[in-house]
Each structure stands twice: as C-alpha cells, then as structure tokens.
C-alpha cells in the first residue's frame, strides 16, 4: 500500500481543505507543519488544531504532525501538549530519548524521513 500524500498545512483553513479533499477522495493523508514551525506556531496551538480536526473529521484517516526542527525543547512541549505526532530533525541519540518520552505519554516523535 502506498504512503498517503504529505501536505504542508499552517492553520485551520488549510487543514480543513486538505481533510475535506481526503474525505471526498476516500483516502488517507499525512498533514504536517512547515519545517521548524513548532518554534512559531507553538505546541498548544497545534494540539488545539489536532483536536478540532479529530472532532470534525473523525471519519478521515489522517496524521497531523508538528515539525519541531532540531529543537528538543519544542519536541518536549509537543509531547506535554499531547500532539499525536511530532517530527524531530536533531541527533539520533536525542531522537531516541524523545521517542521514549513520547511513548510514555502515548504520542509519537518521528524523524522526518519516516512519515
């Protein structure tokens, strides 16, 4: 089975359009923020966006990932905020520690190369 298409989103308008399209095409979709966007969007904003998307598009198979760049602090904030999937571009040992913390919180931190 092919990977779902990756679509960059920044706000509710873009997220809603992408999810409406995925719904109309009956397909899964991988939505992600721009690289490093956790620094300027914030984990709380992304968590709220995620909850709104889940509530309004519960019938659509999607991932909404927040890109934290190389900033472990942003990734930890995403974990605490309950962001389901965060992307981390930093060193592998740091990624492994973040993944352990995320697993304990019931969320996920991935390397961008593994959507």
């Amino acid at each position: 089975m092919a990977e779902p298409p990756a679509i960059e989103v920044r706000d509710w308008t873009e997220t809603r359009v992408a999810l409406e399209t995925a719904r109309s095409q009956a397909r899964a979709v991988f939505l992600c923020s721009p690289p490093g966007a956790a620094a300027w969007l914030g984990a709380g904003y992304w968590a709220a966006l995620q909850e709104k998307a889940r509530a309004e598009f519960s019938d659509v198979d999607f991932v909404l990932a927040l890109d934290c760049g190389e900033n472990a602090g942003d990734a930890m904030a995403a974990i605490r905020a309950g962001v389901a999937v965060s992307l981390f571009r930093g060193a592998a040992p740091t990624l492994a520690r973040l993944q352990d913390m995320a697993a304990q919180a019931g969320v996920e931190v991935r390397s961008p190369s593994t959507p």
Side-chain angles (χ1 to χ4, degrees):
M1 185 166 151
E3 291 292 322
I7 300 170
E8 191 173 286
V9 296
R10 291 168 190 78
D11 57 27
W12 174 243
T13 301
E14 292 177 355
T15 302
R16 181 180 43 77
V17 168
L19 292 172
E20 285 173 348
T21 302
R23 177 186 278 159
S24 72
Q25 295 175 356
R27 65 184 303 178
V29 65
F30 183 86
L31 306 175
C32 57
S33 71
W40 49 276
L41 285 174
Y45 171 83
W46 203 258
L49 184 68
Q50 168 186 278
E51 292 311 309
K52 185 171 180 72
R54 284 181 178 163
E56 295 192 26
F57 293 91
S58 60
D59 60 318
V60 177
D61 182 11
F62 70 92
V63 171
L64 183 62
L66 176 61
D67 193 304
C68 298
E70 296 181 2
N71 190 325
D74 286 342
M76 289 188 292
I79 292 167
R80 284 190 303 272
V83 173
V85 178
S86 301
L87 304 177
F88 179 71
R89 300 172 182 278
T94 305
L95 173 63
R97 287 192 297 274
L98 289 168
Q99 288 174 323
D100 182 53
M101 286 185 251
Q104 292 176 44
V107 296
E108 186 176 355
V109 176
R110 301 178 185 176
S111 168
S113 61
T114 56

